[in-house]
Amino acid sequence: MGEAGDARSVTAALIVIGDEVLSGRTKDKNIGHIAERLTDVGIDLREVRVVADVEEDIVAAVNALRARFDYVFTTGGIGPTHDDITADAIAKAFGVSIDVDPRARAMLLEYIAEKDLNEARLRMARIPAGASLVVNEVSKAPGFRIENVIVMAGVPRIMQSMLEAVLPELRKGRPMLSRTILAEAKEGDIAAPLRKVAETYPDAIIGSYPFRDEVDGRYKTNLVVRAREPELLAAAGDAVARMVEDNAGG
């Protein structure tokens, strides 16, 4: 069972692995989903790296980030082809051996007939020594977790299944709360008074997101206030709303 309601911030990083992402052939759909789900449960995603299918680059990224964050998630590179090298790179990062895991092989046999379990498909059952498995309800080929590193598939539907399987096991912080205030003004016109509000409430996170209204064509700004404490969110949010009202009409 995971722990909930930790007062300390719980942090995470994400490593997206794959030449196809860096070349533009594949448009990543996982970063936003992972960020949203981690935010929902009170884990702060602090960094995202995109790394090529190069073993030493994956090893370097994993070792750098696992030392800095509570959790490191990876996506991609655990399929049946020659360039799926994530599992081997993770084993190297931790200095452990890797081989076909009987547990993972049994999971594959729930989806693939024994006669079709060729050498390529068995690559998906190769798991670093000491890792626990992350269940994949979609196609059965599991991800895995070793210490604070969680290794998941790159296919969005499969990744989402793995993420939901592992989330209950993770330590959580207090979820971040948010409130959005619409300012019918250009971002630059309210930047100075907004800065004063941010200085008054340094423990709140206040973001400014300009956009052009498709209905009336005017430039407007969404001001998003984020905080873990409801009282702080209310106070800072009210201060932003008052600032917007005081500066209405520019």
Side-chain angles (χ1 to χ4, degrees):
M1 292 293 291
E3 300 174 39
D6 196 319
R8 185 177 70 85
S9 174
V10 180
T11 62
L14 169 63
I15 304 172
V16 178
I17 299 168
D19 292 339
E20 68 278 6
V21 176
L22 288 167
S23 71
R25 289 192 301 272
T26 297
K27 313 301 181 188
D28 182 86
K29 297 180 180 179
N30 292 327
I31 296 173
H33 180 86
I34 292 170
E36 184 175 10
R37 289 296 292 125
L38 294 184
T39 297
D40 287 344
V41 301
I43 299 175
D44 296 339
L45 183 62
R46 295 281 182 84
E47 185 170 336
V48 177
R49 295 191 188 186
V50 183
V51 180
D53 293 311
V54 177
E55 185 177 83
E56 56 264 36
D57 292 350
I58 299 170
V59 170
V62 167
N63 282 336
L65 296 177
R66 72 186 178 100
R68 292 175 50 209
F69 299 100
D70 294 308
Y71 298 110
V72 176
F73 296 85
T74 78
T75 61
I78 58 172
T81 60
H82 70 282
D83 58 347
D84 288 313
I85 61 171
T86 297
D88 291 273
I90 299 294
K92 186 171 183 179
F94 281 89
V96 300
S97 61
I98 182 170
D99 204 345
V100 172
D101 186 302
R103 300 168 300 170
R105 188 179 188 278
M107 288 181 176
L108 286 179
L109 288 175
E110 295 178 25
Y111 190 76
I112 301 169
E114 179 92 47
K115 64 182 178 62
D116 295 325
L117 197 57
N118 57 24
E119 183 178 349
R121 293 190 174 100
L122 268 177
R123 285 177 57 82
M124 296 187 290
R126 296 176 71 251
I127 305 294
S132 59
L133 301 186
V134 176
V135 173
N136 162 15
E137 295 291 355
V138 177
S139 62
K140 298 302 179 182
F144 60 87
R145 175 183 176 181
I146 180 166
E147 294 185 15
N148 65 333
V149 176
I150 296 117
V151 177
M152 304 183 295
V155 177
R157 184 161 160 256
I158 298 175
M159 182 283 298
Q160 291 168 23
S161 173
M162 291 180 175
L163 182 62
E164 294 308 314
V166 80
L167 280 179
E169 302 174 4
L170 306 183
R171 185 165 52 83
K172 317 295 196 304
R174 285 179 293 174
M176 188 71 74
L177 308 173
S178 69
R179 174 179 170 185
T180 300
I181 297 100
L182 172 65
E184 302 212 17
K186 295 179 181 178
E187 185 179 38
D189 293 337
I190 55 173
L194 184 64
R195 184 183 304 113
K196 292 180 180 178
V197 175
E199 290 170 351
T200 303
Y201 297 94
D203 292 332
I205 301 168
I206 302 176
S208 176
Y209 305 95
F211 67 97
R212 186 172 184 177
D213 193 312
E214 295 182 358
V215 176
D216 60 22
R218 295 177 57 198
Y219 289 97
K220 302 177 183 180
T221 308
N222 278 323
L223 304 174
V224 180
V225 183
R226 301 171 69 223
R228 284 193 162 84
E229 299 78 17
E231 298 80 10
L232 176 59
L233 180 70
D238 288 348
V240 170
R242 285 193 299 272
M243 180 278 295
V244 168
E245 185 176 350
D246 291 344
N247 289 273

